[in-house]
Structures are given as structure tokens and as C-alpha cells.
Amino acid sequence: MFLFILLWLVGPTAIPATATDPDLLAVRQRDTDGDGLPDLWEIRGYDADGDGIVDIDLPAMGADPQHKDIFVEADWMDGATCHRRPPARSIQGVVQAFARAPVRNPDGTTGINLHVDYGQGGSYQGGNAISCQDPVSWPDGFQALKAANFDPRRRAIFHYALFGLGFDDADSTGISETPGDDLFITLKQPNVFNQASTFMHELGHNLGLKHGGLPDAVPYKPNHLSVMNYSFQFTGVILKGETGILDYARSTTCDLDETALNEQTGMGCVPAYGTIWYCENDRRKRITNNTTEAIDWNCDGRIEEETVATSINKDRRRTVLRDPGNEWAALRYQAGNIGSSRARSEQFVPLAARGASQTELEQAAQQTRLAAKAILPPPFFALTPASSSQIQPIVAKR
């Protein structure tokens, strides 16, 4: 806390040292919780244009340098022909799903604080209605709407979500950057659950997740227990016989070799979960509430003693469906403009600009250097992958 107080009073530019001073760079770029947002922003707020005035009051929005935070602004189309504002229950369902995430934080707790600004009031005044438009071209039309409705000072902090009607692909329920910071939800018949699940699905793409888990984008895999899997996007994951669970894959499962599937043991590697698979001959959907029980993979009405060869993920190709891995542990927090290096270099008003003497500046500089060496612990990287800020986004569609 002593260090944070010093930084608030002094400001990085007040310290009379070179820009490459490692102590000062550590202080300025510090991201203790690994969420892509520097500690200084989460403690003092974010000054987007370097004029000494906080533009985004992150502390008032609940940001915590010791606990992972993700911010999203959600706009929606509304008018005589459409009403796409997401219900508060939809947003809260996703917020709660992130709060339950098996992700460790420096404060000793687990979970991710998801902050969604959909114009609900208080510190959240960003979300607003947009006139009904269908279709909206991607990405050009989307970017035009974003430019007209999204405060550019938020670029380094907020993902931008738009709940709308449709884009170039008329059959799709959404599109997003993977990884990145833009997502477009385009449900034709929205309800409380599918708005929540599709929002979480598209946000997952922004955070680097794919339709097949970590190793690939192969869809409909029965071992991919996640709303990123099309099979669970509109029903939620099945857990202890209950559907409607909003979640990303939270543990490793197992590979499924479609040339040698064991019907007697089922999937056998994820107790308490159910799953969905598809018959090879007619692509009928089949459901089991317990993956450790016998599963009729080839849909012939009996449980075979020998292994069977059949496609179970709707593509009619017999391959090895790879273990999707722990998606929560692989989220990419810094992508697109989030926590951008350009924004990280922006500065705050230093003591010198407030009329401090040279002696006061030198004393403050020395105290800050000593505090940085004495107080700053090693970076917290327990479950946080390397920065993805330089990864070029690709487009992911439902």
C-alpha cells in the first residue's frame, strides 16, 4: 500500500530517471493479477489522453489489482421492429459464471470479476440503444456502429458487445474476434438463457477460446463440456443431471478415438457430467446425463462388448477428438486493444507539474525506487498465459 500511495502522489513521469530504469518500468507496467490491466489503472483510474484527468474511474467500477477483472460495454438494438436489450438476468448469469471460475487470484480467492456496462446506472453509463438495422456488415458496418456509440477512451479497458439482429451470414447467432475485443450477438429468437449463453460464447472467442477447446476448432465434440461447444451453446453444460450450466471447460477430460469407442465405459473420465453426441447415419442428437455409464455411441440400440467405430460429432469422419483441456486456465485477457502497450505508455500529471521542488522530486524518486525493490513481489502468473496482445484476431462465427 505504501508503494501505491507513493505512485499516486508522484506519478511515473515525476521520477528523474531514464525511461529504461527497470524499477520504474516495473512500477508503471505492473499487472499483479495478470488480467491485462496495469495495477496503476485499477488503483487510480485510467487517464486515456495523458491530460492528468482520470477518464475511466476503474476503482469506482470495482476494479481490483489483486483480482482478475474483465470489462464489457453492451449496446443493443431497439425500436419499433426490434427489442434486443439483454435482460439483467442474462447478464447476471454470465457474471456469476465468471465469478465461479476455477482461476486463482493474488488475493487468495478464485473467480473473475466480470463487469458489464449495459447502461444500468451508477458508474455504468456506457451501454445504450441503437436503432434497428439488419443486416449489419462485418466488420465494416459493425465498426461504424461502434465508432458512433463507444467512447474511444474505453478502448484499452472494455470489450464492445452489440446485441443486434443479423450480419452477412443470415443463419449465424453471432460473430466475434478470436482473440480480440469485439463481439456481435445476432439471435433471431432471443430469450433469457440463449442471450446469456451466446454472450458467454462470443466473449469466450474474444478471450481466445475456440469451438473445439484448446487444441482445435472441431465442433460438437462430446468431450468438450463448454458453452463454446455448439452442442451446449443453447442448453448449457449438463452437470449432475441438470442442464443450463453456463461454463467453459474447467478440467481435462480425455481423447475420444472414433475408430475404437468403448460403449461399456462410456466416456469414463468426467464423473458427474452429462454429454451430447450424434449418430453417424442420420446425425440425430443423443443425450446422456452420466458420461461414466454405458453409452450407445453407434446408436444401434445395444451396448457392444467390443469397441465400435463411428462418428459422434456430426461430421461423419472417424478421427480422434482431442481432449479440449482447461479453458478457464487458458483465457487470454490482453487481446485486441485491451491493456494495449500504447495505452500503457500514457502518463499521469507528475509532482513537477504541481510545483514540487527538485529536492522533493529526488526524495520521492528514491523512495519509490526503494519501495519497488522492497515491496513488489514476483509477477503472479499461476494460471495466466503469456500476453496475446500481438496475436492477430481471426473471425469466429456461431
Side-chain angles (χ1 to χ4, degrees), residues 212-228:
L214 304 183
D216 53 53
V218 176
Y220 298 106
K221 291 158 58 171
N223 53 349
H224 185 201
L225 307 176
S226 167
V227 295
M228 299 307 299

Side-chain angles (χ1 to χ4, degrees), residues 103 207-209 214 249 324-333 383-386:
V103 175
L207 299 171
L209 303 182
L214 304 183
N326 185 337
E327 291 178 317
W328 285 111
L331 296 184
R332 296 173 178 172
Y333 299 90
L383 290 175
T384 305

Side-chain angles (χ1 to χ4, degrees), residues 45-325:
Y46 175 55
D47 175 10
D49 52 15
D51 65 356
I53 299 174
V54 170
D55 297 296
I56 310 298
D57 192 348
L58 289 175
M61 292 181 172
D64 185 342
Q66 299 288 318
H67 195 105
K68 288 179 174 61
D69 297 282
I70 295 174
F71 289 84
V72 181
E73 177 179 324
D75 290 352
W76 63 93
M77 291 187 180
D78 191 69
T81 59
C82 73
H83 303 284
R84 289 295 187 268
R85 184 174 189 178
R89 286 173 57 199
S90 299
I91 299 299
Q92 285 306 309
V94 182
V95 169
Q96 291 166 9
F98 274 73
R100 294 191 299 266
V103 175
R104 289 184 289 158
N105 292 286
D107 63 8
T109 66
T110 58
I112 300 167
N113 289 332
L114 177 63
H115 311 265
V116 184
D117 183 350
Y118 56 105
Q120 61 266 47
S123 298
Y124 295 93
Q125 302 285 344
N128 60 270
I130 297 174
S131 61
C132 302
Q133 301 176 47
D134 185 22
V136 173
S137 65
W138 177 275
D140 294 345
F142 180 92
Q143 290 301 326
L145 290 175
K146 179 179 179 179
N149 293 277
F150 181 69
D151 186 341
R153 296 175 299 179
R154 289 184 160 203
R155 278 197 305 259
I157 309 292
F158 282 78
H159 296 257
Y160 182 69
L162 176 58
F163 287 77
L165 297 172
F167 63 102
D168 316 77
D169 184 346
D171 296 325
S172 179
T173 60
I175 190 168
S176 50
E177 294 174 334
T178 306
D181 53 23
D182 290 331
L183 55 151
F184 193 15
I185 295 92
T186 55
L187 292 159
K188 303 303 181 286
Q189 295 181 315
N191 57 46
V192 171
F193 186 81
N194 67 22
Q195 283 187 297
S197 60
T198 304
F199 174 42
M200 187 167 175
H201 177 102
E202 299 301 340
L203 181 58
H205 285 313
N206 269 193
L207 299 171
L209 303 182
K210 296 173 288 190
H211 291 141
L214 304 183
D216 53 53
V218 176
Y220 298 106
K221 291 158 58 171
N223 53 349
H224 185 201
L225 307 176
S226 167
V227 295
M228 299 307 299
N229 183 344
Y230 291 153
S231 293
F232 301 110
Q233 181 181 342
F234 300 118
T235 64
V237 175
I238 304 168
L239 180 63
K240 298 180 179 178
E242 299 292 331
T243 59
I245 308 299
L246 294 173
D247 208 354
Y248 299 136
R250 57 176 50 226
S251 64
T252 57
T253 55
C254 50
D255 292 347
L256 290 175
D257 184 350
E258 292 178 305
T259 67
L261 293 166
N262 190 321
E263 294 194 324
Q264 294 192 12
T265 60
M267 206 152 72
C269 52
V270 279
Y273 280 91
T275 196
I276 294 172
W277 78 101
Y278 298 85
C279 303
E280 181 177 285
N281 59 346
D282 58 9
R283 296 179 178 172
R284 274 183 302 126
K285 182 169 75 172
R286 303 290 296 272
I287 301 173
T288 178
N289 287 329
N290 190 341
T291 59
T292 60
E293 294 180 350
I295 295 177
D296 181 15
W297 290 120
N298 62 4
C299 306
D300 66 354
R302 60 180 183 270
I303 301 300
E304 307 288 353
E305 292 185 3
E306 303 295 326
T307 59
V308 299
T310 186
S311 173
I312 55 177
N313 73 316
K314 214 174 183 179
D315 64 2
R316 292 181 174 171
R317 294 188 303 115
R318 297 173 182 177
T319 60
V320 176
L321 304 178
R322 297 297 181 189
D323 175 0

